[in-house]
Amino acid sequence: MSHYIIMGICKMSLRLGGKGCIIAVILLLAGASIVPDLGANRTFNNTIYVDDDNIGGPWDGTTENPYQRIQDGIDAASDDDTIYVYSGIYYENVVVAKSIELIGEGRDTTIVDGNETTFVIKIDADSVTLCNFTVQNSGIESSAVGGIMIESNCNSITSNNVYDNCIGIHLIHSNNNIICGNEISFNFISGIRLLNSNNNIISGNDVKNNEYAGINLTDSSGNYVSGNIISDNNEYGIYVGNSPDNKIVQNNIIMNKRNAYFKDCDNTWDGNYWNRFRLLPYLILGKINSKLRMEVDWHPSKIPNEIVSNPFAIIETNMGTMKLELYKDKMPITVENFIKLANDGFYDDLVFHRVIDDFVIQGGGYYANGTHKTSPYGSIELEIHPSVRHVDGAISMARTSDPNSATSQFFICDGKQSFLDDNYAAFGKIIVGIDVLRNAASVETTIKYRMQDWPVDDVIIESVTTLNQ
């Protein structure tokens, strides 16, 4: 096993003058590098091409002989294939029953039109990527019909235009999806509706001019709604009914008939921009058990939030799943390095080899048997941004005493660790799964492979996938 000098950080509790305090002690230690996200990482097997201009055939899905219809391309595909659709207008009702990547040539020029009959695109398979389409003109005969209907899990719906449907994007019993970077407008009922759908991420969308609600959460919990523009919707900006434990944060919720309303549930509202500058907390009116109640955005943004469409990472462990937003807009070098490694499957089956309760969990460099794994991309320079701090749940790069030595190892902060700011490259934060972090950080540890704080029972990184790259 290789050994080199690193920067280690320990924490110890001392009692001074009758008061407890935490002192950070910086030590030089020998051992492993420690601290002081569907663009998921699947390998797509084959690309099948579709072009509505190929009227006369032949059709075999090659670039020379593309299929004329999207559904024909999907029917010919296998799981993990890519369907690439050239610009054109496709009058279809598409059913996606395979785990594929469905990509349009351009979101404004690759148009799927439901011809006002039923759904436009229906996703029944898990782990589907849908990107770069205009999806329009679903039927309106049923309030359940969506331009994009999803009745499966772990899908990525990014960078689409969704116009003139009954419901723009409709999730039904659908969990762990990412809806990001879409423009969703002029739909007959709601822009986005979740029904019995949990733990989804809705971020970076422009949701406006929908007839009923911009975003409607019904019987759905654990969803993260952040960084959206929700404006000019004719009844509600966001409606939350019988849907507890959702986080609705840092959105611009403006110029709706009623910006927000809740019924029979408690949720977290924080940092949203509500029409104008506000010095005081913003009150959200609703009802619980038919009685008038209020929820509060205690820290409303004084100016419109900057809306960005960042990537996300999903870290699957043997103790549960953590979902993180990666701040590519502020930390591009660090995030790109992490995404490359994740897409290569580099992190699969590695462990969190250093775990310190109330401090960090660290992984990305060792297998459970102590074998070290080295990044094929080498080290990256230290990247710092003044607004990216080591808050609770922050993900950051581990390194040696050389500031520019970070490679693959990362750590996640169990609690706020401000003393690491400006010395280590934080580049994202947990948005779903903080309980998994807490449980992982509290496991019993020992000395293994001449390294301290190794869990007695391994905390395994089963996979890291990245989305919305």
Side-chain angles (χ1 to χ4, degrees):
M1 180 187 303
S2 61
H3 294 271
Y4 44 93
I5 299 300
I6 55 85
M7 182 69 74
I9 296 181
C10 301
K11 296 179 74 175
M12 60 182 65
S13 179
L14 300 178
R15 190 162 298 277
L16 299 175
K19 295 183 179 180
C21 67
I22 300 294
I23 297 178
V25 183
I26 300 180
L27 305 172
L28 288 178
L29 303 172
S33 166
I34 75 165
V35 303
D37 232 280
L38 251 265
N41 58 333
R42 308 202 313 271
T43 300
F44 291 97
N45 297 324
N46 185 35
T47 300
I48 295 170
Y49 296 90
V50 178
D51 191 342
D52 67 330
D53 290 336
N54 186 15
I55 298 172
W59 304 287
D60 59 15
T62 61
T63 53
E64 296 81 9
N65 303 306
Y67 289 108
Q68 187 184 6
R69 298 175 67 252
I70 297 170
Q71 192 65 60
D72 291 339
I74 294 171
D75 291 345
S78 300
D79 285 344
D80 296 329
D81 282 351
T82 296
I83 311 296
Y84 186 84
V85 183
Y86 289 106
S87 295
I89 301 179
Y90 298 82
Y91 293 97
E92 298 190 49
N93 306 108
V94 176
V95 177
V96 184
K98 299 171 184 177
S99 299
I100 60 170
E101 188 179 49
L102 185 58
I103 305 297
E105 183 177 6
R107 66 186 288 173
D108 297 320
T109 58
T110 312
I111 300 167
V112 188
D113 191 305
N115 208 23
E116 299 183 356
T117 54
T118 180
F119 58 82
V120 185
I121 298 176
K122 186 170 184 283
I123 298 175
D124 291 335
D126 294 341
S127 302
V128 171
T129 294
L130 178 70
C131 180
N132 276 0
F133 290 92
T134 290
V135 180
Q136 64 185 33
N137 291 334
S138 77
I140 59 172
E141 73 282 357
S142 167
S143 61
V145 170
I148 301 171
M149 293 187 65
I150 306 173
E151 299 185 32
S152 54
N153 306 311
C154 303
N155 302 292
S156 176
I157 312 299
T158 62
S159 300
N160 302 286
N161 302 323
V162 188
Y163 305 145
D164 297 312
N165 303 285
C166 185
I167 298 172
I169 301 176
H170 197 185
L171 280 65
I172 305 172
H173 296 284
S174 183
N175 307 319
N176 297 305
N177 302 283
I178 287 185
I179 312 297
C180 185
N182 304 283
E183 183 173 315
I184 306 163
S185 303
F186 301 105
N187 296 287
F188 185 70
I189 299 181
S190 295
I192 301 172
R193 184 181 189 229
L194 275 60
L195 176 63
N196 296 116
S197 296
N198 307 317
N199 300 318
N200 299 284
I201 296 171
I202 302 172
S203 180
N205 302 285
D206 189 355
V207 188
K208 61 188 179 184
N209 293 305
N210 297 285
E211 191 63 31
Y212 179 67
I215 298 176
N216 180 334
L217 307 181
T218 300
D219 299 323
S220 300
S221 64
N223 298 289
Y224 181 75
V225 181
S226 176
N228 302 283
I229 300 174
I230 308 168
S231 70
D232 299 288
N233 296 286
N234 290 343
E235 193 62 37
Y236 301 102
I238 181 163
Y239 173 91
V240 188
N242 195 33
S243 297
D245 301 322
N246 298 287
K247 293 182 179 179
I248 303 158
V249 298
Q250 296 180 334
N251 301 281
N252 294 335
I253 308 176
I254 53 179
M255 303 304 293
N256 304 281
K257 182 176 179 180
R258 180 179 288 186
N259 278 328
Y261 183 80
F262 68 93
K263 184 177 180 181
D264 295 329
C265 55
D266 293 311
N267 294 280
T268 299
W269 308 77
D270 191 59
N272 300 289
Y273 178 75
W274 305 91
N275 286 340
R276 59 175 174 81
F277 175 93
R278 294 182 186 276
L279 188 61
L280 299 175
Y282 183 81
L283 303 181
I284 301 142
L285 297 180
K287 289 184 178 181
I288 295 181
N289 296 326
S290 300
K291 295 182 179 180
L292 186 66
R293 292 288 187 270
M294 288 187 297
E295 292 193 328
V296 183
D297 185 337
W298 290 104
H299 310 101
S301 179
K302 295 178 174 61
I303 60 174
N305 292 295
E306 181 182 3
I307 302 300
V308 296
S309 183
N310 276 321
F312 297 90
I314 300 175
I315 301 179
E316 299 278 2
T317 79
N318 62 331
M319 298 187 72
T321 301
M322 295 176 284
K323 298 179 183 178
L324 303 93
E325 182 177 1
L326 306 180
Y327 301 141
K328 190 174 182 178
D329 58 323
K330 298 179 176 69
M331 302 291 290
I333 296 170
T334 311
V335 169
E336 185 61 31
N337 177 71
F338 185 83
I339 286 174
K340 284 194 301 184
L341 291 165
N343 287 353
D344 289 347
F346 178 91
Y347 293 114
D348 297 0
D349 300 320
L350 300 183
V351 297
F352 286 103
H353 64 273
R354 178 166 282 104
V355 170
I356 305 175
D357 198 13
D358 296 323
F359 184 29
V360 300
I361 62 173
Q362 181 185 333
Y366 288 87
Y367 289 100
N369 64 4
T371 301
H372 182 248
K373 188 173 185 180
T374 303
S375 168
Y377 301 114
S379 61
I380 58 174
E381 66 182 76
L382 177 64
E383 192 175 29
I384 299 295
H385 193 283
S387 68
V388 182
R389 309 280 86 181
H390 288 80
V391 298
D392 187 19
I395 184 172
S396 187
M397 292 303 294
R399 60 172 176 81
T400 70
S401 57
D402 177 359
N404 299 313
S405 62
T407 58
S408 66
Q409 290 192 40
F410 63 90
F411 60 92
I412 303 175
C413 296
D414 181 31
K416 184 178 180 180
Q417 311 296 338
S418 298
F419 69 100
L420 299 178
D421 293 343
D422 301 320
N423 292 296
Y424 291 82
F427 62 97
K429 186 181 74 169
I430 290 177
I431 55 176
V432 177
I434 200 75
D435 57 321
V436 177
L437 169 65
R438 297 282 186 264
N439 292 336
S442 63
V443 300
E444 183 182 355
T445 61
T446 186
I447 298 175
K448 278 188 185 180
Y449 314 113
R450 292 185 284 183
M451 286 183 276
Q452 294 182 342
D453 305 310
W454 193 298
V456 172
D457 296 318
D458 288 313
V459 182
I460 301 170
I461 302 170
E462 295 175 346
S463 66
V464 178
T465 58
T466 57
L467 305 168
N468 194 40
Q469 298 174 25

